[in-house]
Amino acid sequence: MNTAAKLLAAMQANPRDWRIEQLQTVARQYGILWRQESGSHCIFTWPEGRSLPVPAHRPVKPVYVRLFIKMLSEP
């Protein structure tokens, strides 16, 4: 099991106290692009065009972690 898979499993078990860098690690493994120029949000973009803006404050709120996981599991 690689680092991204371990992170995803841990996020599913406990969606609290995660950093945006950890979401980016999971996104990289699953082929999801992101952009974060200089603003306060990181925008994750799936290949089929869906996007999820996530505030880049520490820690990331659990609601955004749950949405991220949900969008990963959707086909």
Side-chain angles (χ1 to χ4, degrees):
M1 185 179 283
N2 61 18
T3 304
K6 289 178 186 177
L7 278 173
L8 182 59
M11 285 179 191
Q12 290 171 334
N14 181 14
R16 300 179 60 104
D17 300 325
W18 295 99
R19 295 185 324 237
I20 199 72
E21 295 85 9
Q22 293 168 312
L23 269 69
Q24 291 171 347
T25 299
V26 173
R28 186 179 306 115
Q29 181 66 31
Y30 288 91
I32 299 162
L33 302 175
W34 74 87
R35 66 182 186 277
Q36 181 181 9
E37 289 83 26
S38 63
S40 63
H41 285 68
C42 180
I43 300 157
F44 294 95
T45 307
W46 276 255
E48 61 272 358
R50 296 179 295 157
S51 64
L52 176 67
V54 177
H57 304 290
R58 276 184 266 160
V60 175
K61 292 186 179 182
V63 65
Y64 294 107
V65 175
R66 287 187 198 107
L67 285 171
F68 181 78
I69 293 168
K70 181 180 177 189
M71 290 185 79
L72 276 176
S73 64
E74 290 177 356

